[in-house]
Amino acid sequence: MESPLDSGNPPVMLLAAFTEAFPDHVMQFLTRAPGREMWVAASYSSDEAVTLVAPEVEGRATFNLQSAKIKQTITRRPLPRWARYPVGVTMLLVQDGLDLIGLNMLVMGNEPPGPRFDYGSGMAVAALWHDLYQLDYTIDTLIDIVDRTRREYVENNE
């Protein structure tokens, strides 16, 4: 039997989780990482910070441009491992010329917590940023971005 994620239809769990994570916001964007079972739901926030929520790992992290540069949340805590790819992808795209806008994002999928979830989250967030800025992309484009993120942000200890 095909799962809701495989069919291209967002799972009800995703919609419910977004409402629970951001009760004062209405979901405005929904993107699936191509070739992956990872989704990201998002809405604009009222400030320049980005809040990431990942129910599978019971995680929540908020960052802005300054905190992300030093791999911290806005509360000066180290970024959780699961958030490094989505934050790194965002920083890489900002370096490449996109403006960082405030968003509330919920990342969810059928990947187990760990490296596959982290990588898939990065892919989903990269797809979302491309959709927001109406930029064309392919699976290969996203893989290149996430691989570059791994080298330049996730594994870079500076």
Side-chain angles (χ1 to χ4, degrees):
M1 184 169 134
E2 190 175 78
S3 81
L5 290 171
D6 293 332
S7 67
N9 295 320
V12 174
M13 292 181 334
L14 175 87
L15 306 175
F18 185 87
T19 300
E20 184 177 324
F22 304 106
D24 297 332
H25 296 270
V26 174
M27 182 182 66
Q28 296 168 292
F29 309 102
L30 181 64
T31 299
R32 179 181 179 192
R36 300 269 174 172
E37 295 187 24
M38 294 297 294
W39 292 82
V40 60
S43 69
Y44 290 117
S45 69
S46 58
D47 56 24
E48 293 181 9
V50 175
T51 298
L52 288 167
V53 173
E56 284 94 346
V57 295
E58 298 178 5
R60 185 180 197 99
T62 301
F63 68 95
N64 59 24
L65 196 55
Q66 288 71 33
S67 70
K69 285 179 183 176
I70 56 175
K71 300 178 184 173
Q72 292 182 353
T73 67
I74 60 171
T75 57
R76 298 184 181 247
R77 302 268 189 236
L79 285 173
R81 179 174 300 278
W82 65 268
R84 292 179 190 158
Y85 275 96
V87 173
V89 161
T90 301
M91 292 303 299
L92 188 105
L93 293 172
V94 167
Q95 281 179 345
D96 289 349
L98 295 185
D99 292 325
L100 180 65
I101 55 174
L103 289 177
N104 300 308
M105 291 193 271
L106 181 122
V107 179
M108 185 178 240
N110 281 346
E111 298 291 353
R116 287 185 56 87
F117 178 86
D118 300 348
Y119 193 93
S121 295
M123 294 253 322
V125 168
L128 174 71
W129 284 115
H130 279 76
D131 287 349
L132 288 174
Y133 284 93
Q134 299 176 355
L135 302 171
D136 292 332
Y137 62 90
T138 64
I139 292 174
D140 290 337
T141 305
L142 300 179
I143 289 171
D144 289 345
I145 291 167
V146 177
D147 285 347
R148 199 170 134 210
T149 297
R150 178 185 45 77
R151 290 188 309 274
E152 296 177 19
Y153 190 83
V154 174
E155 293 177 351
N156 185 350
N157 292 322
E158 291 179 8

